[in-house]
Amino acid sequence: MKIRLPRRALAIGSALALTFGLAACSGGDSEGGAAGDAIVAETAFNLKTIDPHRQFEFTGSTIDNAIYQTALEFEDGDLTKPTDGLCSYEMSDNDKKMTLTLKQKDAKFSNGDPVTVDDIVFSFKRLQGIEGNPSFFLDGVTVKKVDDETIELISKNPNPALPYILPNSSIGIVNSKVVKDNEGTTDENDGAEQFLNQNSQGSGPYKVETYDADSKVVLTANEHYNGAAPKFSKVVLRNVSAETQVTDIQSGQADVSFDLSSDQVETLDKNAVQISSLPSTRSIYIFNNTDEEIGGPTADPNFRKAVASALDYDKILDLAGENGQRMASPVPNEFNGAVPKDQAPDRDLDKTKKLLDKAGYDGEAVPFHYASDQAVNGMDIAQLAQTIQAQLKEAGIKLSLKPAPSATQLDGFRAAEQPMGIGTWGADYPDPSNYNVFVPGGSVAERVNWAEGDSTEIDELAAAATKAEGDDRSPAYAKLFQATTETGIWVPLVQPVSTVVVSNRIESYVSNADVTFDFAKAE
């Protein structure tokens, strides 16, 4: 997604920051060994660029979190409360205007230039104008400089999600003068990407030293950073498979590993490593097509509800590993608008039988589509599909498994041609409005042929949630998504875990819902 919440990424966890302090021991290789001046981190790269206004992948976001400051932040990983970053903010009563006031007047870019309102305005307009993957964050927003301390963001429609969007690393603030001098513009003619990949222009705790999208990215401390100087002056991020990460983190050749599954974590010597295992912000769910010509039985609400009551959710939760969570709607439990997880359905086979009788289901096989090559935070989707098939068979529901490569499966889902299957969603930003895609007429709802007007009740709840303000927004959205889930069109399954493994060479670190691993705060 991806969250600092990109859609694909979504490897971030609980809303409470977790700071770990443990005894140190020597370890690491020549890049991050006992000298203690470098952190070696490993992940399987999902990296196209570190130009902040173009990047929209997990690895790019991880790097840019360390390089760029943003107008607003999430303090201690609490995704429910945006706080001041480079700026403080105020929203107008109608949520159409945000006023940003430059707060950190001592912030400096990596070349020593001060961060100014002009830099912030340029960064916002560049994000919009180059039309990269994250440009939609500021759709419908007019950016206006008021004076040397003030910016106004004016939205065509009420935009209460805006404070939750601005902390995203894709809206990092760049040095406008230097970027302009290197072909940077605020339209599609921008040519600064290659320069920014090799010469980052941020005011965060680190700057890029070397960049190779295929193998390794090296960051060094920004001597002009206005916060506490990082204890580790260098970060080495290497492109390494999960299998190799197991060996390297165990042997001390790496300090941080991002991609280990719960099964791989179980093989590690727990005396040699520290484990931060937190709920991610990915949602895994079953979808049911509402078009009878496509879905057959899935178009019947009684059949869909029978599926929801037939699943053994505790066993599904076991597949996610320790700290995975039940979900009562597609919205992650840490977000405003989430339906409390204790309201999630339980297995009730007597209820299933009655619902199947009402549906007139006579045991025909239902095609069940899923990505055969996909794992979400270490949770194997193929294994999940087989588990669901076995559980529903016990309840008298027959699934015909239809595995396909991720791209093929996604194309079929987007074309609204699949009767039933497994879907995943990662937040673009931590606001419930990002999940309007699941209500009738939304972009994901269209994939199951669920159109606006198909449910008057849900349309009215969606309108009420959109109009809600302040503290009323969260309960209004929770009511909307509870009603959405009760249709059985979406059957929420699990919120899997995001696991970060850290060597004992690191005495303390911060891993939370905003930043999977904060390099600048490691000691």
Side-chain angles (χ1 to χ4, degrees), residues 306-491:
V307 169
S309 65
L311 294 167
D312 188 335
Y313 295 95
D314 289 338
K315 290 184 179 178
I316 290 174
L317 196 60
D318 287 342
L319 299 178
E322 187 177 0
N323 290 332
Q325 296 187 78
R326 290 291 314 279
M327 303 187 76
S329 77
V331 183
N333 293 301
E334 290 72 31
F335 288 12
N336 287 326
V339 180
K341 59 186 176 183
D342 60 7
Q343 296 180 28
D346 293 315
R347 192 176 211 200
D348 185 340
L349 295 182
D350 289 337
K351 180 179 179 181
T352 302
K353 185 179 184 305
K354 293 176 183 178
L355 288 167
L356 290 177
D357 289 342
K358 286 183 180 180
Y361 175 70
D362 60 6
E364 64 266 38
V366 180
F368 191 80
H369 295 259
Y370 61 94
S372 57
D373 58 353
Q374 185 181 21
V376 179
N377 294 115
M379 189 172 184
D380 187 282
I381 297 301
Q383 183 182 14
L384 175 60
Q386 293 161 10
T387 299
I388 291 170
Q389 181 190 43
Q391 291 182 0
L392 295 189
K393 182 178 180 181
E394 293 174 4
I397 300 171
K398 186 176 180 181
L399 299 184
S400 175
L401 298 186
K402 302 293 182 181
S406 298
T408 303
Q409 189 275 327
L410 185 57
D411 286 345
F413 184 34
R414 287 174 171 167
E417 296 172 347
Q418 296 175 350
M420 190 178 183
I422 296 173
T424 66
W425 183 261
D428 297 307
Y429 50 88
D431 185 81
S433 62
N434 193 225
Y435 290 78
N436 286 338
V437 293
F438 288 96
V439 304
S443 60
V444 180
E446 288 178 346
R447 301 174 187 179
V448 294
N449 295 293
W450 199 20
E452 187 175 0
D454 286 352
S455 172
T456 301
E457 176 196 2
I458 293 178
D459 287 346
E460 290 175 351
L461 290 171
T466 299
K467 293 178 181 177
E469 299 178 357
D471 292 340
D472 294 333
R473 294 185 72 238
S474 186
Y477 272 103
K479 190 173 182 179
L480 166 64
F481 292 120
Q482 183 175 34
T484 301
T485 301
E486 286 174 353
T487 66
I489 292 170
W490 318 113
V491 182

Side-chain angles (χ1 to χ4, degrees), residues 112-181:
D113 289 346
V115 177
T116 69
V117 160
D118 290 326
D119 296 311
I120 298 172
V121 169
F122 173 82
S123 297
F124 289 167
K125 289 186 175 182
R126 182 172 184 266
L127 173 81
Q128 293 175 312
I130 65 177
E131 298 184 354
N133 284 331
S135 292
F136 75 95
F137 280 139
L138 296 182
D139 278 353
V141 176
T142 299
V143 181
K144 177 184 176 183
K145 176 183 176 181
V146 177
D147 54 42
D148 288 342
E149 294 187 0
T150 314
I151 303 162
E152 287 181 351
L153 301 182
I154 302 170
S155 301
K156 182 177 180 181
N157 300 309
N159 195 354
L162 197 53
Y164 297 84
I165 294 172
L166 292 189
N168 196 291
S169 61
S170 290
I171 317 180
I173 307 306
V174 301
N175 187 326
S176 59
K177 181 180 183 302
V178 176
V179 174
K180 288 177 182 178
D181 287 345

Side-chain angles (χ1 to χ4, degrees), residues 35-298:
D37 62 346
I39 292 178
V40 176
E42 295 183 337
T43 186
F45 276 13
N46 182 9
L47 177 62
K48 296 180 179 179
T49 181
I50 55 171
D51 178 339
H53 306 142
R54 285 187 169 89
Q55 67 84 8
F56 208 53
E57 290 76 36
F58 171 70
T59 309
S61 179
T62 299
I63 294 167
D64 282 351
N65 282 339
I67 293 175
Y68 293 96
Q69 291 180 295
T70 49
L72 302 181
E73 299 176 353
F74 290 113
E75 187 175 355
D76 295 333
D78 184 352
L79 301 179
T80 67
K81 296 177 181 178
T83 60
D84 298 347
L86 286 170
C87 301
S88 60
Y89 78 99
E90 289 185 2
M91 296 294 292
S92 64
D93 290 341
N94 62 5
D95 286 328
K96 290 186 177 182
K97 183 172 74 173
M98 170 187 277
T99 302
L100 293 170
T101 303
L102 185 62
K103 183 176 181 179
Q104 295 190 38
K105 297 178 182 179
D106 60 341
K108 293 182 178 181
F109 293 109
S110 53
N111 69 347
D113 289 346
V115 177
T116 69
V117 160
D118 290 326
D119 296 311
I120 298 172
V121 169
F122 173 82
S123 297
F124 289 167
K125 289 186 175 182
R126 182 172 184 266
L127 173 81
Q128 293 175 312
I130 65 177
E131 298 184 354
N133 284 331
S135 292
F136 75 95
F137 280 139
L138 296 182
D139 278 353
V141 176
T142 299
V143 181
K144 177 184 176 183
K145 176 183 176 181
V146 177
D147 54 42
D148 288 342
E149 294 187 0
T150 314
I151 303 162
E152 287 181 351
L153 301 182
I154 302 170
S155 301
K156 182 177 180 181
N157 300 309
N159 195 354
L162 197 53
Y164 297 84
I165 294 172
L166 292 189
N168 196 291
S169 61
S170 290
I171 317 180
I173 307 306
V174 301
N175 187 326
S176 59
K177 181 180 183 302
V178 176
V179 174
K180 288 177 182 178
D181 287 345
N182 289 275
E183 302 183 31
T185 68
T186 57
D187 58 28
E188 66 276 6
N189 296 316
D190 176 86
E193 179 180 5
Q194 185 174 354
F195 172 76
L196 286 169
N197 282 340
Q198 302 293 339
N199 304 272
S200 57
Q201 292 297 312
S203 57
Y206 289 97
K207 59 184 178 181
V208 68
E209 179 180 277
T210 61
Y211 172 86
D212 185 327
D214 295 322
S215 61
K216 182 172 68 176
V217 176
V218 179
L219 309 179
T220 56
N222 171 15
E223 62 181 331
H224 298 290
Y225 177 54
N226 66 331
K231 300 295 183 182
F232 292 90
S233 61
K234 181 177 289 189
V235 174
V236 180
L237 189 64
R238 301 194 297 214
N239 184 14
V240 174
S241 69
E243 291 75 15
T244 302
Q245 289 176 44
V246 173
T247 302
D248 288 353
I249 195 73
Q250 187 73 70
S251 66
Q253 296 301 302
D255 301 306
V256 184
S257 174
F258 285 107
D259 300 324
L260 302 191
S261 68
S262 56
D263 288 342
Q264 289 171 320
V265 170
E266 284 302 311
T267 68
L268 299 176
D269 179 359
K270 304 308 187 294
N271 294 319
V273 297
Q274 309 160 65
I275 300 169
S276 169
S277 186
L278 308 166
S280 77
T281 55
R282 297 293 293 273
S283 306
I284 302 178
Y285 58 89
I286 291 173
F287 62 85
N288 288 289
N289 205 303
T290 65
D291 187 330
E292 187 173 2
E293 292 186 5
I294 295 172
T298 67

